[in-house]
Amino acid sequence: MIDLNDLCKQALANAEQREKNGGNISTDTRRMLKHCATEVVEAMEAYTQAVDCWRRNGVCLNSNFPSELADIICCALIIAGKEGIDIEQAVLACIEKNRKRAERQGDKL
């Protein structure tokens, strides 16, 4: 099982070190949220390219889509680490909330 809270610590430490080394990254939560939005756009572009490639060739082996999704997840991990959020509990609560919604027990469908 993956320890998401440990991954938060690792992702934050890596981002802080990159920042210290002069990398174009900031662990400021607002700036990281903006960066995450950019990663979402990049994931959409990668997905579109992968779908286009699949439609043309029937297969697409060199998709960047998985890597772009991972970038989004790492942004969220960095933010959670910076803000001291128990991301495992937050994800489990989200899964439960959506389970209830799927069973028409939640606040919305």
Side-chain angles (χ1 to χ4, degrees):
M1 188 78 157
I2 294 176
D3 183 337
L4 293 179
N5 289 318
D6 184 57
L7 287 179
C8 286
K9 293 174 189 171
Q10 291 178 47
L12 179 59
N14 290 339
E16 288 173 339
Q17 188 60 51
R18 286 179 62 199
E19 194 172 20
K20 286 178 188 174
N21 292 342
N24 187 22
I25 189 169
S26 172
T27 59
D28 172 76
T29 297
R30 285 184 178 88
R31 290 187 64 193
M32 186 55 65
L33 285 166
K34 287 180 181 181
H35 180 77
C36 188
T38 301
E39 296 295 352
V40 170
V41 171
E42 290 175 4
M44 182 61 196
E45 291 170 354
Y47 179 75
T48 299
Q49 289 173 357
V51 168
D52 290 346
C53 179
W54 179 80
R55 286 183 181 152
R56 282 191 312 272
N57 306 317
V59 66
C60 191
L61 301 176
N62 295 322
S63 174
N64 290 331
F65 184 55
S67 176
E68 295 299 343
L69 283 179
D71 287 343
I72 295 166
I73 292 167
C74 282
C75 285
L77 292 173
I78 292 166
I79 294 164
K82 183 77 171 186
E83 296 297 324
I85 294 168
D86 183 333
I87 198 65
E88 289 186 9
Q89 284 304 112
V91 169
L92 290 172
C94 183
I95 296 291
E96 179 63 10
K97 171 186 71 182
N98 286 310
R99 182 194 62 76
K100 287 180 179 178
R101 288 176 176 172
E103 296 175 356
R104 298 183 180 266
Q105 299 174 8
D107 56 337
K108 57 185 171 182
L109 296 179

